Amino acid sequence: MKRIIAKQELCMGCGLCEVYCTVQHSKSKDIIKAYNSECPKPISRVRLEVNKPISFAIQCRHCEDAPCVTACLSGAMQKDEKTGLVTHNPDKCMGCWTCIMVCPYGAIKMDQQGKVVAKCDLCQGLEEPACVANCPNQALVFKEVKL
Amino acid sequence: MAKYVIVGASAAGIGAVEAIREVDPVGAITVISEEPCPQYSRPMISDFVSGKADFNKMKCRTDEFWKENNVEALTGKKATALNLTEKTVQLEGGEKVAYEKLLLATGGKPFVPKMEGSDKDGVFTFTTFKDAERLAAKIDSINAKAAVVIGAGLIGISVTEALLKRGLKVTMVELQDKILSLLLDAKASDLVEAVVRKAGVNIVTGQSVQKILGKPGNEGVVDGVILTKGDQVPCDLVIVAIGVVPRTELVTGTAVKINRGIVVDNMMQTNVPDVYASGDVTEAYDFIMNQNRLLPLWPLAVLEGQVAGYNMAGKKTTYMGGTNMSSLKYFGTPIVSIGLANPKEDPALEVLVKHDAERNVYKKLVLKNNVIVGLTLVNCIERAGVSFYLMKNAINVKKFKQKLLSDDFGLATLPVSLQRKMCVVQ
Ligand SMILES: Cc1cc2nc3c(=O)[nH]c(=O)nc-3n(C[C@H](O)[C@H](O)[C@H](O)COP(=O)(O)OP(=O)(O)OC[C@H]3O[C@@H](n4cnc5c(N)ncnc54)[C@H](O)[C@@H]3O)c2cc1C
Ligand code: SF4
Ligand code: SF4
C-alpha cells in the first residue's frame, strides 16, 4: 500500500507538517480558528522528531501486523483488510492508552481533552496527505512502501 | 462434529477465531460461552458503571462477528465437563460437542479471600458485564453513598474511579504497603496515591478487611467493614477487586496439566494432544522473566489466542511472549508499566530514574546488560511504544542510554541503521 516516508536528509525541521495536519483534522479547516478557538482542540497526527542535527516527521505506518490493533481493548483500532489502512474509531475508543504502549513508532497521540487517542488516517479523501502536500522541501513522500 | 471448538469467547477466543479464519476459511468452528454476548471489552465495565459507556460501545466486535466468520456461537451456554479420550465437551443440560482441536479460553474468575460476611447483600466482585450491571443497578436502587473497594491494583483503581464519578465516597483498602504495587515502585506509587487522595478517595494500605458487617436488625445487608487493625468503615457496598485466578475447573481432574494456570508450550498447546489453552487461564511465556507465568492481560490473551488459532489450523506459529505490561488512564494520570518495575537490588541491573516534581512526571528504566528490562512512565507516556520495541527486540541501548529519559526521546534518538530497518526514514 501507499505509505508516507520521510527523507531525513531533506527535512529542515520546520514543523509545517504538524501545522497542516492539525488544520486538516480541525472542524473549521481554518488555521486561525484551529489553533485559537476550536474546542476540542484539534491535534496533529504527525510528529516532528528532532535530535539535532537530525529531524524527520513520523506518522502511523499502517503496519501489516499492527500491534495496536491486536492490543486495542475496545475494538476501536481496526485493520481494513481491503485498503490496508489501520483505522481508529474515536466513538469506540476508551482512552486506555494500550495502543500507545505498543506502537513501535510512538505514532499515536493522546487527545487529553477528548480522552481518546488520535493517529494518522492518511487524509482519506485527499489526493495526497496534507503533510506530504505541504512540506516545503519535499521531505515527505507518499508512495508504495513495503513494511 | 466441529473441527475447532473454543470454550470462552472473550479476548483469547476472539483472537483464535480470527487466526483460524485467516488460515482455514471453511473448517467448522464452534464457540461456547456462558455469557450471552461475550464479545465485549471487559476492561470497559468501569466505564459502564460510571455511565461513560453503554453496552453497545463496549462491544469490541460487531453483533455479526460470529456469523461473518461462519462460527456457530453457543452463547449463554456453560461447558461443564471434558472427555479427552472421546474428544467431546459437555454442556449444561447434557448436550455434547465433539472436537478435533480444542481451545480452552475460559479466562479468570475473581479471587475472593476468606472474610466473615462476604455473602451479604451489597458485596460485589468486578470482572464481568453482569457484575457491572448489578453494581450500577444497586447504586441506584439503594441510593448508595459509600463503598469500600478491596484491592488497589488495576481493577481496584478502575472501579474506584467509576464509583467516585457516581458520587460515592470510596475507601480503598490494600494489603500491600503501596497502591498498584505490582506495577509501580514506591516513589511512583506515592505520586499516584497523592493524586487519588486529592480526588477524594480514602486510601488504607497495609491492611485488609477482616469482617463485613450487617445492618442492625437486617444482618444480611452490608453496613460497613472492620479492617485488620480493628477500625470500622461504614459503607453500603463492598467491592472485592483483588484480582483474578485462572478458571481451571473444567480441566481439574483431567489429564491436562495445571500449575497455577494451565501449562502450555510455546505453541500454546497443553500436554494433551489437540488441546490448546490461551489467555488468563494459562501460564504463558514472559520474555523478561524468561519463564511461563500468569499474566492476565487483554492484549496478551488476544495474542495467545491468535497463536493457538494458527497452530490449530495447521500454521505452525511460536508465541514470542509477553510480559507484565499495563497502561492506565485513571484519575487523569496516564501510566505505562512494562517488565520490571520494582526489582530487588541486583548488581547486574542498572536503574535510571527521572522525577520532575513540578510536572508530576516520573520515568524509570531498568537495564540489564544494556537491554531495557523495565519501564515505568507516569504522566509522560506517548513514546512508551518506542521503548517497548527496544525491550521486545532486546536492542542494546548503550550508545544512546543517556537520552532514554530525556523529554525529546523518540525515534530520532535511535541509530540510523535501526531507523532504516523500522522503515522510519529512507
Ligand atoms: C475491570 C477490569 C479491568 C481490566 N483492565 C485491563 C486493562 O486495562 N488492560 C489489560 O490488559 N487487561 C485488563 N483487564 C484484564 C482483561 O480483561 C483480561 O486479561 C482478558 O479479558 C482475558 O481474556 P480471556 O479471553 O483470557 O478471558 P476472559 O475475558 O475472562 O473470558 C473468558 C470467557 O470464558 C467464559 N467461560 C469460562 N468458563 C466457561 C465455561 N465452562 N463454559 C462456558 N463459558 C465459559 C467466561 O464466561 C468468559 O466469557 C481488566 C479486567 C477487568 C475485570
Ligand atoms: S499506530 Fe503504530 S502500531 Fe498501529 S499501525 Fe500505526 S504505526 Fe503501526
Ligand atoms: S486508547 Fe482507544 S484505540 Fe487505543 S487501545 Fe485503548 S481503546 Fe483502543
Side-chain angles (χ1 to χ4, degrees):
Chain A
M1 71 178 288
K2 269 178 126 176
R3 295 184 161 95
I4 304 172
I5 193 136
K7 293 199 155 160
Q8 185 254 303
E9 70 284 0
L10 291 183
C11 178
M12 308 178 291
C14 66
L16 276 176
C17 47
E18 292 189 353
V19 175
Y20 280 97
C21 181
T22 307
V23 175
Q24 179 61 31
H25 292 93
S26 67
K27 273 195 212 103
S28 62
K29 307 270 192 282
D30 176 288
I31 187 165
I32 309 281
K33 284 187 193 138
Y35 273 84
N36 286 341
S37 58
E38 244 178 63
C39 189
K41 225 173 152 55
I43 55 174
S44 167
R45 287 100 197 277
V46 53
R47 192 197 317 263
L48 184 69
E49 292 272 342
V50 186
N51 181 22
K52 279 183 183 148
I54 290 171
S55 66
F56 53 81
I58 180 85
Q59 57 294 88
C60 168
R61 307 280 91 186
H62 299 274
C63 300
E64 275 322 315
D65 225 345
C68 61
V69 173
T70 313
C72 178
L73 300 194
S74 73
M77 212 58 103
Q78 294 279 331
K79 176 93 181 163
D80 186 323
E81 291 306 334
K82 286 194 203 88
T83 61
L85 216 67
V86 171
T87 60
H88 175 253
N89 177 354
D91 295 332
K92 278 234 135 250
C93 180
M94 66 178 286
C96 65
W97 320 134
T98 305
C99 50
I100 289 183
M101 172 168 69
V102 301
C103 171
Y105 299 93
I108 302 174
K109 297 241 202 147
M110 303 167 87
D111 178 347
Q112 288 276 24
Q113 257 175 335
K115 305 260 188 279
V116 292
V117 297
K119 70 163 199 70
C120 167
D121 53 5
L122 291 178
C123 292
Q124 294 311 292
L126 296 190
E127 205 163 296
E128 225 177 19
C131 56
V132 176
N134 292 290
C135 173
N137 211 30
Q138 273 101 52
L140 288 171
V141 283
F142 188 46
K143 61 171 196 182
E144 283 296 328
V145 179
K146 250 194 131 64
L147 277 190
Chain B
M1 155 111 148
K3 184 151 190 216
Y4 311 98
V5 172
I6 301 173
V7 187
S10 176
I14 290 169
V17 165
E18 289 175 341
I20 291 171
R21 279 293 172 249
E22 251 181 62
V23 183
D24 177 356
V26 292
I29 305 179
T30 299
V31 302
I32 301 164
S33 169
E34 68 184 356
E35 292 191 280
C37 178
Q39 71 274 26
Y40 68 88
S41 170
R42 206 167 290 287
M44 232 196 269
I45 61 175
S46 48
D47 283 357
F48 180 83
V49 172
S50 71
K52 212 179 145 201
D54 58 13
F55 190 64
N56 219 23
K57 176 170 175 175
M58 293 171 70
K59 287 179 191 162
C60 60
R61 293 296 182 273
T62 59
D63 289 335
E64 293 77 43
F65 177 77
W66 307 114
K67 213 168 150 199
E68 276 169 10
N69 282 289
N70 194 13
V71 171
E72 182 186 20
L74 304 178
T75 50
K77 299 212 167 134
K78 188 173 175 175
T80 50
L82 298 182
N83 187 327
L84 299 170
T85 33
E86 198 182 273
K87 291 181 102 172
T88 56
V89 181
Q90 187 174 323
L91 305 183
E92 217 164 25
E95 189 191 336
K96 281 185 181 175
V97 184
Y99 65 83
E100 271 176 47
K101 308 267 175 193
L102 174 67
L103 174 64
L104 301 165
T106 50
K109 59 175 181 222
F111 174 66
V112 182
K114 278 216 161 65
M115 254 180 310
E116 208 182 316
S118 60
D119 56 347
K120 290 193 195 306
D121 182 12
V123 180
F124 290 83
T125 53
F126 196 65
T127 58
T128 65
F129 176 64
K130 208 166 160 194
D131 291 338
E133 220 178 15
R134 284 175 48 235
L135 178 58
K138 191 74 173 176
I139 293 171
D140 289 335
S141 71
I142 64 168
N143 193 15
K145 295 277 186 290
V148 165
V149 172
I150 308 178
L154 189 60
I155 301 179
I157 287 272
S158 78
V159 68
T160 295
E161 191 194 55
L163 294 169
L164 208 66
K165 282 189 180 155
R166 290 287 298 256
L168 275 83
K169 173 143 190 48
V170 188
T171 300
M172 208 157 48
V173 183
E174 168 58 53
L175 185 60
Q176 302 297 322
D177 291 334
K178 300 280 172 196
I179 67 166
L180 294 169
S181 61
L182 290 178
L183 302 178
L184 301 176
D185 67 8
K187 183 119 192 177
S189 174
D190 286 344
L191 194 154
V192 178
E193 185 176 321
V195 175
V196 179
R197 277 191 200 280
K198 209 168 156 208
V201 177
N202 178 24
I203 299 176
V204 179
T205 55
Q207 287 199 70
S208 187
V209 167
Q210 54 156 300
K211 187 176 176 183
I212 299 171
L213 302 167
K215 286 196 193 308
N218 199 355
E219 261 305 310
V221 175
V222 171
D223 197 39
V225 301
I226 300 183
L227 303 177
T228 314
K229 291 179 187 159
D231 295 333
Q232 268 196 35
V233 183
C235 63
D236 317 305
L237 301 170
V238 175
I239 293 93
V240 186
I242 296 173
V244 293
V245 289
R247 235 184 116 172
T248 51
E249 72 249 19
L250 207 51
V251 285
T252 308
T254 70
V256 176
K257 198 168 158 201
I258 312 173
N259 186 26
R260 288 176 69 200
I262 296 178
V263 177
V264 290
D265 62 14
N266 61 12
M267 290 167 72
M268 306 313 294
Q269 197 163 358
T270 68
N271 61 315
V272 174
D274 299 327
V275 180
Y276 295 75
S278 299
D280 285 11
V281 76
T282 55
E283 290 180 1
Y285 184 60
D286 180 328
F287 69 85
I288 296 288
M289 307 302 275
N290 193 23
Q291 66 180 43
N292 282 40
R293 65 182 189 119
L294 298 176
L295 289 166
L297 295 163
W298 182 276
L300 300 182
V302 177
L303 278 173
E304 291 160 25
Q306 285 177 347
V307 171
Y310 286 135
N311 286 313
M312 289 160 77
K315 180 177 165 187
K316 202 170 170 197
T317 309
T318 309
Y319 180 50
M320 301 314 287
T323 190
N324 193 13
M325 47 189 284
S326 300
S327 70
L328 280 74
K329 62 165 182 164
Y330 304 103
F331 294 94
T333 305
I335 298 171
V336 165
S337 165
I338 311 177
L340 302 179
N342 225 346
K344 288 196 198 84
E345 282 291 329
D346 179 350
L349 299 179
E350 182 182 358
V351 177
L352 310 173
V353 173
K354 192 168 170 181
H355 180 206
D356 178 343
E358 211 167 292
R359 287 159 54 220
N360 225 7
V361 166
Y362 184 79
K363 304 184 196 178
K364 171 172 171 172
L365 281 170
V366 184
L367 307 178
K368 188 174 186 178
N369 301 327
N370 289 310
V371 169
I372 307 175
V373 290
L375 173 74
T376 308
L377 300 171
V378 181
N379 278 325
C380 177
I381 65 162
E382 273 195 343
R383 296 336 200 332
V386 180
S387 303
F388 179 55
Y389 177 86
L390 300 172
M391 263 172 119
K392 219 172 57 180
N393 294 284
I395 288 166
N396 189 310
V397 299
K398 191 166 178 209
K399 287 208 181 99
F400 50 99
K401 194 153 54 180
Q402 65 295 350
K403 294 213 167 143
L404 288 170
L405 290 182
S406 77
D407 280 343
D408 54 8
F409 165 74
L411 291 171
T413 322
L414 306 181
V416 176
S417 56
L418 190 56
Q419 289 170 359
R420 292 232 152 93
K421 188 177 155 222
M422 292 174 76
C423 229
V424 176
V425 294
Q426 265 193 334

